[in-house]
PDB file of all heavy atoms in Angstrom:
ATOM      1  N   LEU G  48      90.345  41.400 157.142  1.00  0.00           N
ATOM      2  CA  LEU G  48      90.487  42.855 157.247  1.00  0.00           C
ATOM      3  C   LEU G  48      91.953  43.197 157.449  1.00  0.00           C
ATOM      4  O   LEU G  48      92.564  42.751 158.456  1.00  0.00           O
ATOM      5  CB  LEU G  48      89.644  43.411 158.388  1.00  0.00           C
ATOM      6  CG  LEU G  48      88.115  43.434 158.206  1.00  0.00           C
ATOM      7  CD1 LEU G  48      87.450  43.911 159.482  1.00  0.00           C
ATOM      8  CD2 LEU G  48      87.733  44.363 157.023  1.00  0.00           C
ATOM      9  N   PRO G  49      92.509  44.007 156.540  1.00  0.00           N
ATOM     10  CA  PRO G  49      93.903  44.423 156.799  1.00  0.00           C
ATOM     11  C   PRO G  49      94.049  45.411 157.950  1.00  0.00           C
ATOM     12  O   PRO G  49      93.114  46.158 158.224  1.00  0.00           O
ATOM     13  CB  PRO G  49      94.305  45.072 155.449  1.00  0.00           C
ATOM     14  CG  PRO G  49      93.032  45.405 154.741  1.00  0.00           C
ATOM     15  CD  PRO G  49      91.972  44.543 155.329  1.00  0.00           C
ATOM     16  N   ASP G  50      95.207  45.382 158.604  1.00  0.00           N
ATOM     17  CA  ASP G  50      95.523  46.419 159.604  1.00  0.00           C
ATOM     18  C   ASP G  50      94.547  46.442 160.773  1.00  0.00           C
ATOM     19  O   ASP G  50      94.085  47.539 161.171  1.00  0.00           O
ATOM     20  CB  ASP G  50      95.642  47.803 159.009  1.00  0.00           C
ATOM     21  CG  ASP G  50      96.724  47.863 157.930  1.00  0.00           C
ATOM     22  OD1 ASP G  50      97.793  47.224 158.148  1.00  0.00           O
ATOM     23  OD2 ASP G  50      96.554  48.546 156.930  1.00  0.00           O
ATOM     24  N   ILE G  51      94.184  45.265 161.302  1.00  0.00           N
ATOM     25  CA  ILE G  51      93.373  45.275 162.520  1.00  0.00           C
ATOM     26  C   ILE G  51      94.081  44.352 163.532  1.00  0.00           C
ATOM     27  O   ILE G  51      94.821  43.473 163.173  1.00  0.00           O
ATOM     28  CB  ILE G  51      91.918  44.811 162.313  1.00  0.00           C
ATOM     29  CG1 ILE G  51      91.828  43.349 161.887  1.00  0.00           C
ATOM     30  CG2 ILE G  51      91.200  45.717 161.285  1.00  0.00           C
ATOM     31  CD1 ILE G  51      90.442  42.788 162.086  1.00  0.00           C
ATOM     32  N   ASN G  52      93.790  44.574 164.829  1.00  0.00           N
ATOM     33  CA  ASN G  52      94.430  43.780 165.853  1.00  0.00           C
ATOM     34  C   ASN G  52      93.383  43.128 166.796  1.00  0.00           C
ATOM     35  O   ASN G  52      93.721  42.381 167.698  1.00  0.00           O
ATOM     36  CB  ASN G  52      95.423  44.559 166.712  1.00  0.00           C
ATOM     37  CG  ASN G  52      94.816  45.725 167.381  1.00  0.00           C
ATOM     38  OD1 ASN G  52      94.034  46.463 166.778  1.00  0.00           O
ATOM     39  ND2 ASN G  52      95.106  45.941 168.645  1.00  0.00           N
ATOM     40  N   TRP G  53      92.061  43.427 166.528  1.00  0.00           N
ATOM     41  CA  TRP G  53      91.038  42.821 167.371  1.00  0.00           C
ATOM     42  C   TRP G  53      89.683  42.886 166.625  1.00  0.00           C
ATOM     43  O   TRP G  53      89.417  43.936 166.002  1.00  0.00           O
ATOM     44  CB  TRP G  53      90.891  43.587 168.698  1.00  0.00           C
ATOM     45  CG  TRP G  53      90.283  42.768 169.851  1.00  0.00           C
ATOM     46  CD1 TRP G  53      90.956  42.007 170.760  1.00  0.00           C
ATOM     47  CD2 TRP G  53      88.904  42.690 170.183  1.00  0.00           C
ATOM     48  NE1 TRP G  53      90.068  41.465 171.649  1.00  0.00           N
ATOM     49  CE2 TRP G  53      88.783  41.847 171.307  1.00  0.00           C
ATOM     50  CE3 TRP G  53      87.704  43.225 169.648  1.00  0.00           C
ATOM     51  CZ2 TRP G  53      87.569  41.537 171.939  1.00  0.00           C
ATOM     52  CZ3 TRP G  53      86.509  42.902 170.249  1.00  0.00           C
ATOM     53  CH2 TRP G  53      86.455  42.058 171.363  1.00  0.00           C
ATOM     54  N   ALA G  54      88.916  41.789 166.628  1.00  0.00           N
ATOM     55  CA  ALA G  54      87.608  41.831 166.003  1.00  0.00           C
ATOM     56  C   ALA G  54      86.699  40.921 166.808  1.00  0.00           C
ATOM     57  O   ALA G  54      87.060  39.772 167.049  1.00  0.00           O
ATOM     58  CB  ALA G  54      87.653  41.342 164.546  1.00  0.00           C
ATOM     59  N   GLY G  55      85.593  41.459 167.282  1.00  0.00           N
ATOM     60  CA  GLY G  55      84.701  40.552 168.076  1.00  0.00           C
ATOM     61  C   GLY G  55      83.450  41.269 168.502  1.00  0.00           C
ATOM     62  O   GLY G  55      83.119  42.366 168.091  1.00  0.00           O
ATOM     63  N   PHE G  56      82.794  40.604 169.441  1.00  0.00           N
ATOM     64  CA  PHE G  56      81.455  41.043 169.886  1.00  0.00           C
ATOM     65  C   PHE G  56      81.414  41.214 171.403  1.00  0.00           C
ATOM     66  O   PHE G  56      82.064  40.395 172.137  1.00  0.00           O
ATOM     67  CB  PHE G  56      80.416  39.974 169.455  1.00  0.00           C
ATOM     68  CG  PHE G  56      80.272  39.854 167.949  1.00  0.00           C
ATOM     69  CD1 PHE G  56      81.118  39.032 167.254  1.00  0.00           C
ATOM     70  CD2 PHE G  56      79.309  40.632 167.259  1.00  0.00           C
ATOM     71  CE1 PHE G  56      81.021  38.895 165.849  1.00  0.00           C
ATOM     72  CE2 PHE G  56      79.222  40.461 165.873  1.00  0.00           C
ATOM     73  CZ  PHE G  56      80.053  39.627 165.194  1.00  0.00           C
ATOM     74  N   TYR G  57      80.620  42.154 171.843  1.00  0.00           N
ATOM     75  CA  TYR G  57      80.231  42.281 173.247  1.00  0.00           C
ATOM     76  C   TYR G  57      78.722  42.113 173.250  1.00  0.00           C
ATOM     77  O   TYR G  57      78.045  42.639 172.381  1.00  0.00           O
ATOM     78  CB  TYR G  57      80.655  43.622 173.856  1.00  0.00           C
ATOM     79  CG  TYR G  57      82.091  43.641 174.298  1.00  0.00           C
ATOM     80  CD1 TYR G  57      83.087  44.060 173.428  1.00  0.00           C
ATOM     81  CD2 TYR G  57      82.436  43.279 175.588  1.00  0.00           C
ATOM     82  CE1 TYR G  57      84.425  44.077 173.847  1.00  0.00           C
ATOM     83  CE2 TYR G  57      83.773  43.314 176.008  1.00  0.00           C
ATOM     84  CZ  TYR G  57      84.753  43.730 175.145  1.00  0.00           C
ATOM     85  OH  TYR G  57      86.065  43.756 175.569  1.00  0.00           O
ATOM     86  N   LEU G  58      78.249  41.413 174.262  1.00  0.00           N
ATOM     87  CA  LEU G  58      76.795  41.083 174.341  1.00  0.00           C
ATOM     88  C   LEU G  58      76.195  41.880 175.500  1.00  0.00           C
ATOM     89  O   LEU G  58      76.751  41.986 176.582  1.00  0.00           O
ATOM     90  CB  LEU G  58      76.611  39.575 174.580  1.00  0.00           C
ATOM     91  CG  LEU G  58      77.454  38.649 173.747  1.00  0.00           C
ATOM     92  CD1 LEU G  58      77.265  37.171 174.145  1.00  0.00           C
ATOM     93  CD2 LEU G  58      77.133  38.861 172.256  1.00  0.00           C
ATOM     94  N   VAL G  59      74.998  42.464 175.246  1.00  0.00           N
ATOM     95  CA  VAL G  59      74.305  43.199 176.315  1.00  0.00           C
ATOM     96  C   VAL G  59      73.644  42.184 177.281  1.00  0.00           C
ATOM     97  O   VAL G  59      72.933  41.293 176.844  1.00  0.00           O
ATOM     98  CB  VAL G  59      73.206  44.085 175.724  1.00  0.00           C
ATOM     99  CG1 VAL G  59      72.449  44.806 176.854  1.00  0.00           C
ATOM    100  CG2 VAL G  59      73.797  45.145 174.763  1.00  0.00           C
ATOM    101  N   LYS G  60      74.013  42.297 178.544  1.00  0.00           N
ATOM    102  CA  LYS G  60      73.497  41.369 179.571  1.00  0.00           C
ATOM    103  C   LYS G  60      72.761  42.156 180.661  1.00  0.00           C
ATOM    104  O   LYS G  60      73.327  43.173 181.171  1.00  0.00           O
ATOM    105  CB  LYS G  60      74.644  40.537 180.215  1.00  0.00           C
ATOM    106  CG  LYS G  60      75.374  39.632 179.231  1.00  0.00           C
ATOM    107  CD  LYS G  60      74.606  38.337 178.941  1.00  0.00           C
ATOM    108  CE  LYS G  60      75.381  37.490 178.011  1.00  0.00           C
ATOM    109  NZ  LYS G  60      74.651  36.306 177.576  1.00  0.00           N
ATOM    110  N   GLY G  61      71.576  41.711 180.980  1.00  0.00           N
ATOM    111  CA  GLY G  61      70.853  42.296 182.086  1.00  0.00           C
ATOM    112  C   GLY G  61      70.440  43.752 181.872  1.00  0.00           C
ATOM    113  O   GLY G  61      70.125  44.484 182.805  1.00  0.00           O
TER     114      GLY G  61
END
Side-chain angles (χ1 to χ4, degrees):
L48 287 175
D50 300 322
I51 67 162
N52 60 315
W53 203 91
F56 296 85
Y57 278 90
L58 314 176
V59 178
K60 297 280 181 187

